[in-house]
C-alpha cells in the first residue's frame, strides 16, 4: 500500500472486519495476508463450530466461507449464521478453492 492509497474503512473510521473460514491453513493465511496488507482486521476459523463462535465474538463486517468444510459444511454454517439474529445481516462470500484441484486441466490457469 502506498501513501496515495486509501484504506477501506467503515464510516466510523475503524477497519473493515473480515472472518475467513477455511480448513486449509495455506488458503486462510494467503487471504488473511492480502487483506491485512490492505488494513482489514482479519480473524480465521478452520471449522464450522469455530466459525459460528468467531462470528459471534468478533462481529465481522463480512465473512469469507469455504463451502467444502469437513463435518458441518459451509452451507450448514451459512444457514446457522443466517438463523442467528447477531449474524443474520452479515454478508457472506461463499468460496470453494478446492474446485481448482478438481477442474479439468484446460479450465484452470495452469500449464
Amino acid at each position: 500500500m502506498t501513501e496515495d492509497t486509501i484504506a477501506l474503512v467503515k464510516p466510523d473510521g475503524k477497519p473493515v472486519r473480515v472472518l475467513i473460514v477455511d480448513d486449509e491453513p495455506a488458503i486462510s493465511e494467503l487471504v488473511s495476508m492480502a487483506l491485512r496488507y490492505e488494513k482489514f482486521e482479519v480473524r480465521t476459523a478452520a471449522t464450522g463450530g469455530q466459525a459460528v463462535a468467531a462470528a459471534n465474538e468478533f462481529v465481522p463486517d463480512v465473512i469469507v466461507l469455504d463451502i467444502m468444510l469437513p463435518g458441518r459444511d459451509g452451507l450448514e454454517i451459512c444457514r446457522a449464521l443466517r438463523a442467528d439474529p447477531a449474524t443474520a445481516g452479515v454478508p457472506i462470500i461463499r468460496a470453494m478453492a478446492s474446485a481448482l484441484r478438481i477442474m479439468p486441466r484446460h479450465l484452470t490457469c495452469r500449464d
Side-chain angles (χ1 to χ4, degrees):
M1 208 157 100
T2 67
E3 292 177 17
D4 298 335
T5 305
I6 299 172
L8 182 62
V9 295
K10 296 187 283 189
D12 62 5
K14 294 181 181 176
V16 174
R17 299 169 71 124
V18 181
L19 174 60
I20 300 167
V21 184
D22 199 304
D23 61 314
E24 295 188 38
I27 293 171
S28 288
E29 186 56 34
L30 179 66
V31 175
S32 295
M33 191 172 22
L35 293 173
R36 285 185 178 117
Y37 179 79
E38 295 296 336
K39 307 299 185 208
F40 287 75
E41 188 175 345
V42 179
R43 296 274 171 90
T44 62
T47 67
Q50 290 174 357
V52 172
N56 283 295
E57 175 192 323
F58 179 57
V59 190
D61 298 301
V62 65
I63 299 169
V64 179
L65 177 62
D66 181 13
I67 296 300
M68 302 291 290
L69 292 172
R72 293 175 68 190
D73 68 23
L75 295 175
E76 286 183 55
I77 302 311
C78 187
R79 287 185 199 107
L81 293 168
R82 289 288 173 250
D84 184 342
T87 56
V90 177
I92 298 174
I93 299 170
R94 291 174 283 182
M96 194 168 71
S98 60
L100 296 176
R101 290 193 303 260
I102 60 173
M103 290 176 109
R105 186 177 177 93
H106 68 279
L107 296 178
T108 67
C109 295
R110 300 178 191 163
D111 289 325

